Amino acid sequence: MDDTTRPVADDGPDDHHLPPPGTDDATVAAVGAVTAAFEVVEHARGMLYAFHRLIGRADAELQQALDDLEAAGHGELADRVRADVVGRNVLPGRWTFQVVEEFDEGYHRAFADAERHVRDELTAGRRHVYEAQLKERGRTHGRPGHEALPAHVPDPAGTPGGRGPAG
């Protein structure tokens, strides 16, 4: 064991997944709901990036297909399609990279900042406190495969063998 891991002595969540002292269950659940909503935004963001990649791939594949169409003797038709579709904006004045950038810099950044602010204010910035409580309620203590933590977990506080900050 080195300075980046620590043994787990007890059978419960690590300190940064426990609510700060005095934080009630309703607050923990509400913060968890804000985070869950942000996770939906993250999922949507992934889909937006997938859309961006798929449109770029479709454009490249269309260019190749139109080259093939031209080589097969249908140059005029290939040129018409090329002029109308290849390089076309997906939204007025925007390619997908611009849509992704606007989303990231606007809605996504605002939502991410709000979610982080709620966690900072109500759970000392701790992530997934609600989920850690769900895990504790749902797991069978002492049963293999139901451990609270791995045998050795990184210590985010950087204290050798420590459990990190308690509050």
Side-chain angles (χ1 to χ4, degrees):
M1 177 171 36
D2 60 26
D3 288 349
T4 62
T5 61
R6 60 188 162 82
V8 176
D10 52 31
D11 190 29
D14 55 5
D15 291 343
H16 24 288
H17 288 109
L18 292 173
T23 306
D24 61 80
D25 288 344
T27 298
V28 169
V31 172
V34 170
T35 298
F38 180 61
E39 289 170 354
V40 174
V41 170
E42 289 285 59
H43 187 180
R45 182 174 183 246
M47 294 174 126
L48 182 60
Y49 272 82
F51 173 75
H52 164 61
R53 297 286 312 246
L54 288 169
I55 293 297
R57 181 176 171 186
D59 196 67
E61 287 185 18
L62 177 60
Q63 290 179 56
Q64 180 59 54
L66 294 174
D67 290 346
D68 295 346
L69 196 61
E70 187 174 3
H74 307 284
E76 186 178 313
L77 178 58
D79 287 344
R80 283 196 321 255
V81 173
R82 194 176 283 115
D84 191 43
V85 179
V86 173
R88 185 182 186 99
N89 292 324
V90 296
L91 294 172
R94 292 177 183 83
W95 271 23
T96 58
F97 77 90
Q98 292 165 306
V99 174
V100 166
E101 287 178 358
E102 287 182 38
F103 177 79
D104 279 352
E105 293 165 9
Y107 188 82
H108 182 268
R109 178 169 291 146
F111 208 131
D113 290 348
E115 187 270 343
R116 188 177 312 103
H117 178 74
V118 166
R119 279 189 296 104
D120 287 348
E121 183 113 354
L122 300 174
T123 61
R126 297 170 186 181
R127 298 176 61 207
H128 299 109
V129 173
Y130 179 71
E131 288 87 344
Q133 289 181 338
L134 290 177
K135 179 179 181 177
E136 279 304 294
R137 284 194 296 270
R139 71 188 187 91
T140 303
H141 290 255
R143 187 173 186 93
H146 289 250
E147 297 83 9
L149 299 169
H152 290 90
V153 295
D155 182 9
T159 53
R163 288 194 57 87

mmCIF file of all heavy atoms in Angstrom, residues 1-10 13-16 149 151-166:
data_model
loop_
_atom_site.group_PDB
_atom_site.id
_atom_site.type_symbol
_atom_site.label_atom_id
_atom_site.label_comp_id
_atom_site.label_asym_id
_atom_site.label_seq_id
_atom_site.Cartn_x
_atom_site.Cartn_y
_atom_site.Cartn_z
ATOM 1 N N MET A 1 0.860 -1.172 0.000
ATOM 2 C CA MET A 1 0.000 0.000 0.000
ATOM 3 C C MET A 1 0.906 1.234 0.000
ATOM 4 O O MET A 1 1.878 1.304 0.716
ATOM 5 C CB MET A 1 -0.907 -0.035 1.227
ATOM 6 C CG MET A 1 -1.777 1.165 1.341
ATOM 7 S SD MET A 1 -3.053 1.057 2.614
ATOM 8 C CE MET A 1 -2.309 0.158 3.923
ATOM 9 N N ASP A 2 0.562 2.254 -0.832
ATOM 10 C CA ASP A 2 1.344 3.478 -0.866
ATOM 11 C C ASP A 2 0.516 4.639 -0.329
ATOM 12 O O ASP A 2 -0.555 4.453 0.226
ATOM 13 C CB ASP A 2 1.833 3.759 -2.288
ATOM 14 C CG ASP A 2 0.691 3.933 -3.277
ATOM 15 O OD1 ASP A 2 -0.418 4.317 -2.864
ATOM 16 O OD2 ASP A 2 0.907 3.696 -4.475
ATOM 17 N N ASP A 3 1.024 5.860 -0.516
ATOM 18 C CA ASP A 3 0.354 7.036 0.032
ATOM 19 C C ASP A 3 -0.929 7.406 -0.710
ATOM 20 O O ASP A 3 -1.642 8.308 -0.296
ATOM 21 C CB ASP A 3 1.304 8.241 0.013
ATOM 22 C CG ASP A 3 2.396 8.111 1.064
ATOM 23 O OD1 ASP A 3 2.277 7.215 1.918
ATOM 24 O OD2 ASP A 3 3.352 8.892 1.001
ATOM 25 N N THR A 4 -1.225 6.746 -1.817
ATOM 26 C CA THR A 4 -2.430 7.106 -2.570
ATOM 27 C C THR A 4 -3.601 6.188 -2.274
ATOM 28 O O THR A 4 -4.682 6.380 -2.801
ATOM 29 C CB THR A 4 -2.159 7.092 -4.086
ATOM 30 O OG1 THR A 4 -1.792 5.766 -4.470
ATOM 31 C CG2 THR A 4 -1.067 8.086 -4.450
ATOM 32 N N THR A 5 -3.384 5.161 -1.474
ATOM 33 C CA THR A 5 -4.490 4.276 -1.104
ATOM 34 C C THR A 5 -4.558 4.195 0.405
ATOM 35 O O THR A 5 -3.615 4.510 1.108
ATOM 36 C CB THR A 5 -4.316 2.859 -1.679
ATOM 37 O OG1 THR A 5 -3.126 2.306 -1.160
ATOM 38 C CG2 THR A 5 -4.279 2.877 -3.190
ATOM 39 N N ARG A 6 -5.693 3.747 0.882
ATOM 40 C CA ARG A 6 -5.871 3.615 2.320
ATOM 41 C C ARG A 6 -6.716 2.386 2.595
ATOM 42 O O ARG A 6 -7.593 2.034 1.811
ATOM 43 C CB ARG A 6 -6.536 4.859 2.897
ATOM 44 C CG ARG A 6 -7.898 5.151 2.317
ATOM 45 C CD ARG A 6 -8.396 6.506 2.793
ATOM 46 N NE ARG A 6 -9.455 6.991 1.947
ATOM 47 C CZ ARG A 6 -10.732 6.633 2.040
ATOM 48 N NH1 ARG A 6 -11.119 5.774 2.932
ATOM 49 N NH2 ARG A 6 -11.624 7.133 1.241
ATOM 50 N N PRO A 7 -6.456 1.718 3.687
ATOM 51 C CA PRO A 7 -7.292 0.574 4.027
ATOM 52 C C PRO A 7 -8.666 1.066 4.490
ATOM 53 O O PRO A 7 -8.812 2.159 5.001
ATOM 54 C CB PRO A 7 -6.538 -0.096 5.182
ATOM 55 C CG PRO A 7 -5.744 1.019 5.792
ATOM 56 C CD PRO A 7 -5.413 1.962 4.660
ATOM 57 N N VAL A 8 -9.644 0.237 4.273
ATOM 58 C CA VAL A 8 -10.990 0.555 4.735
ATOM 59 C C VAL A 8 -11.232 -0.241 6.002
ATOM 60 O O VAL A 8 -11.238 -1.456 5.988
ATOM 61 C CB VAL A 8 -12.044 0.211 3.652
ATOM 62 C CG1 VAL A 8 -13.430 0.452 4.182
ATOM 63 C CG2 VAL A 8 -11.778 1.028 2.409
ATOM 64 N N ALA A 9 -11.395 0.483 7.087
ATOM 65 C CA ALA A 9 -11.498 -0.180 8.388
ATOM 66 C C ALA A 9 -12.931 -0.525 8.750
ATOM 67 O O ALA A 9 -13.181 -1.483 9.446
ATOM 68 C CB ALA A 9 -10.889 0.710 9.466
ATOM 69 N N ASP A 10 -13.890 0.285 8.320
ATOM 70 C CA ASP A 10 -15.266 0.015 8.718
ATOM 71 C C ASP A 10 -16.099 -0.359 7.502
ATOM 72 O O ASP A 10 -15.609 -0.398 6.385
ATOM 73 C CB ASP A 10 -15.865 1.207 9.470
ATOM 74 C CG ASP A 10 -15.712 2.508 8.695
ATOM 75 O OD1 ASP A 10 -15.709 2.475 7.456
ATOM 76 O OD2 ASP A 10 -15.597 3.551 9.337
ATOM 77 N N PRO A 13 -19.859 3.931 3.845
ATOM 78 C CA PRO A 13 -19.315 4.801 2.798
ATOM 79 C C PRO A 13 -18.142 5.627 3.306
ATOM 80 O O PRO A 13 -17.984 5.822 4.513
ATOM 81 C CB PRO A 13 -20.500 5.707 2.434
ATOM 82 C CG PRO A 13 -21.432 5.636 3.577
ATOM 83 C CD PRO A 13 -21.195 4.319 4.251
ATOM 84 N N ASP A 14 -17.312 6.081 2.366
ATOM 85 C CA ASP A 14 -16.217 6.962 2.750
ATOM 86 C C ASP A 14 -16.769 8.334 3.133
ATOM 87 O O ASP A 14 -17.924 8.652 2.866
ATOM 88 C CB ASP A 14 -15.171 7.055 1.647
ATOM 89 C CG ASP A 14 -15.743 7.479 0.313
ATOM 90 O OD1 ASP A 14 -16.943 7.807 0.244
ATOM 91 O OD2 ASP A 14 -14.996 7.497 -0.662
ATOM 92 N N ASP A 15 -15.931 9.123 3.765
ATOM 93 C CA ASP A 15 -16.381 10.401 4.321
ATOM 94 C C ASP A 15 -16.983 11.350 3.290
ATOM 95 O O ASP A 15 -17.907 12.092 3.599
ATOM 96 C CB ASP A 15 -15.234 11.099 5.056
ATOM 97 C CG ASP A 15 -14.820 10.382 6.327
ATOM 98 O OD1 ASP A 15 -15.602 9.539 6.809
ATOM 99 O OD2 ASP A 15 -13.710 10.658 6.825
ATOM 100 N N HIS A 16 -16.442 11.361 2.067
ATOM 101 C CA HIS A 16 -16.977 12.319 1.103
ATOM 102 C C HIS A 16 -18.256 11.839 0.437
ATOM 103 O O HIS A 16 -18.730 12.488 -0.481
ATOM 104 C CB HIS A 16 -15.947 12.786 0.075
ATOM 105 C CG HIS A 16 -14.827 11.887 -0.157
ATOM 106 N ND1 HIS A 16 -13.832 11.710 0.764
ATOM 107 C CD2 HIS A 16 -14.524 11.082 -1.183
ATOM 108 C CE1 HIS A 16 -12.976 10.845 0.296
ATOM 109 N NE2 HIS A 16 -13.364 10.457 -0.857
ATOM 110 N N LEU A 149 -17.080 -0.430 0.103
ATOM 111 C CA LEU A 149 -15.980 0.135 -0.677
ATOM 112 C C LEU A 149 -15.052 -0.981 -1.125
ATOM 113 O O LEU A 149 -15.060 -2.065 -0.545
ATOM 114 C CB LEU A 149 -15.185 1.124 0.189
ATOM 115 C CG LEU A 149 -15.926 2.338 0.730
ATOM 116 C CD1 LEU A 149 -15.077 3.058 1.774
ATOM 117 C CD2 LEU A 149 -16.275 3.287 -0.398
ATOM 118 N N ALA A 151 -11.393 -2.884 -1.334
ATOM 119 C CA ALA A 151 -10.450 -3.156 -0.242
ATOM 120 C C ALA A 151 -9.521 -1.969 -0.006
ATOM 121 O O ALA A 151 -9.187 -1.662 1.126
ATOM 122 C CB ALA A 151 -9.637 -4.404 -0.546
ATOM 123 N N HIS A 152 -9.111 -1.282 -1.048
ATOM 124 C CA HIS A 152 -8.265 -0.094 -0.933
ATOM 125 C C HIS A 152 -8.829 0.955 -1.870
ATOM 126 O O HIS A 152 -9.076 0.681 -3.045
ATOM 127 C CB HIS A 152 -6.820 -0.396 -1.305
ATOM 128 C CG HIS A 152 -6.149 -1.260 -0.302
ATOM 129 N ND1 HIS A 152 -6.161 -2.630 -0.392
ATOM 130 C CD2 HIS A 152 -5.483 -0.960 0.831
ATOM 131 C CE1 HIS A 152 -5.510 -3.145 0.636
ATOM 132 N NE2 HIS A 152 -5.088 -2.149 1.397
ATOM 133 N N VAL A 153 -9.063 2.129 -1.356
ATOM 134 C CA VAL A 153 -9.595 3.220 -2.176
ATOM 135 C C VAL A 153 -8.659 4.416 -2.109
ATOM 136 O O VAL A 153 -8.002 4.629 -1.092
ATOM 137 C CB VAL A 153 -11.015 3.647 -1.736
ATOM 138 C CG1 VAL A 153 -12.001 2.527 -1.969
ATOM 139 C CG2 VAL A 153 -11.049 4.089 -0.296
ATOM 140 N N PRO A 154 -8.574 5.175 -3.199
ATOM 141 C CA PRO A 154 -7.737 6.371 -3.166
ATOM 142 C C PRO A 154 -8.226 7.337 -2.099
ATOM 143 O O PRO A 154 -9.418 7.430 -1.832
ATOM 144 C CB PRO A 154 -7.932 6.983 -4.553
ATOM 145 C CG PRO A 154 -8.549 5.926 -5.386
ATOM 146 C CD PRO A 154 -9.242 4.979 -4.456
ATOM 147 N N ASP A 155 -7.294 8.024 -1.481
ATOM 148 C CA ASP A 155 -7.628 9.029 -0.477
ATOM 149 C C ASP A 155 -7.580 10.397 -1.137
ATOM 150 O O ASP A 155 -6.506 10.929 -1.383
ATOM 151 C CB ASP A 155 -6.635 8.964 0.682
ATOM 152 C CG ASP A 155 -6.966 9.963 1.780
ATOM 153 O OD1 ASP A 155 -8.052 10.577 1.716
ATOM 154 O OD2 ASP A 155 -6.144 10.116 2.687
ATOM 155 N N PRO A 156 -8.745 10.979 -1.469
ATOM 156 C CA PRO A 156 -8.755 12.254 -2.182
ATOM 157 C C PRO A 156 -8.170 13.399 -1.381
ATOM 158 O O PRO A 156 -7.762 14.402 -1.944
ATOM 159 C CB PRO A 156 -10.223 12.488 -2.495
ATOM 160 C CG PRO A 156 -10.972 11.643 -1.550
ATOM 161 C CD PRO A 156 -10.070 10.488 -1.196
ATOM 162 N N ALA A 157 -8.098 13.275 -0.075
ATOM 163 C CA ALA A 157 -7.523 14.342 0.746
ATOM 164 C C ALA A 157 -6.006 14.295 0.717
ATOM 165 O O ALA A 157 -5.341 15.224 1.160
ATOM 166 C CB ALA A 157 -8.029 14.241 2.176
ATOM 167 N N GLY A 158 -5.447 13.183 0.208
ATOM 168 C CA GLY A 158 -4.005 13.069 0.126
ATOM 169 C C GLY A 158 -3.328 12.717 1.427
ATOM 170 O O GLY A 158 -2.103 12.728 1.522
ATOM 171 N N THR A 159 -4.084 12.380 2.449
ATOM 172 C CA THR A 159 -3.475 12.014 3.728
ATOM 173 C C THR A 159 -3.216 10.523 3.740
ATOM 174 O O THR A 159 -4.129 9.730 3.532
ATOM 175 C CB THR A 159 -4.397 12.403 4.915
ATOM 176 O OG1 THR A 159 -5.684 11.851 4.682
ATOM 177 C CG2 THR A 159 -4.499 13.895 5.060
ATOM 178 N N PRO A 160 -1.969 10.125 3.931
ATOM 179 C CA PRO A 160 -1.654 8.693 3.913
ATOM 180 C C PRO A 160 -2.471 7.931 4.942
ATOM 181 O O PRO A 160 -2.486 8.289 6.123
ATOM 182 C CB PRO A 160 -0.159 8.646 4.262
ATOM 183 C CG PRO A 160 0.366 10.006 3.920
ATOM 184 C CD PRO A 160 -0.796 10.945 4.152
ATOM 185 N N GLY A 161 -3.202 6.947 4.471
ATOM 186 C CA GLY A 161 -3.985 6.105 5.360
ATOM 187 C C GLY A 161 -5.200 6.781 5.951
ATOM 188 O O GLY A 161 -5.902 6.189 6.745
ATOM 189 N N GLY A 162 -5.467 8.025 5.580
ATOM 190 C CA GLY A 162 -6.594 8.748 6.169
ATOM 191 C C GLY A 162 -7.895 8.477 5.451
ATOM 192 O O GLY A 162 -7.933 7.818 4.435
ATOM 193 N N ARG A 163 -8.999 8.977 6.004
ATOM 194 C CA ARG A 163 -10.307 8.787 5.394
ATOM 195 C C ARG A 163 -10.798 10.072 4.727
ATOM 196 O O ARG A 163 -11.935 10.158 4.315
ATOM 197 C CB ARG A 163 -11.324 8.295 6.413
ATOM 198 C CG ARG A 163 -11.062 6.838 6.793
ATOM 199 C CD ARG A 163 -12.221 6.227 7.509
ATOM 200 N NE ARG A 163 -13.492 6.254 6.824
ATOM 201 C CZ ARG A 163 -13.916 5.340 5.956
ATOM 202 N NH1 ARG A 163 -13.142 4.354 5.605
ATOM 203 N NH2 ARG A 163 -15.106 5.440 5.422
ATOM 204 N N GLY A 164 -9.949 11.068 4.620
ATOM 205 C CA GLY A 164 -10.371 12.296 3.976
ATOM 206 C C GLY A 164 -11.110 13.204 4.941
ATOM 207 O O GLY A 164 -11.280 12.880 6.119
ATOM 208 N N PRO A 165 -11.541 14.354 4.438
ATOM 209 C CA PRO A 165 -12.224 15.319 5.302
ATOM 210 C C PRO A 165 -13.579 14.804 5.775
ATOM 211 O O PRO A 165 -14.278 14.131 5.056
ATOM 212 C CB PRO A 165 -12.386 16.536 4.408
ATOM 213 C CG PRO A 165 -12.343 16.011 3.020
ATOM 214 C CD PRO A 165 -11.471 14.793 3.058
ATOM 215 N N ALA A 166 -13.894 15.103 7.000
ATOM 216 C CA ALA A 166 -15.178 14.673 7.560
ATOM 217 C C ALA A 166 -16.249 15.726 7.377
ATOM 218 O O ALA A 166 -17.415 15.470 7.593
ATOM 219 C CB ALA A 166 -15.009 14.354 9.048
#
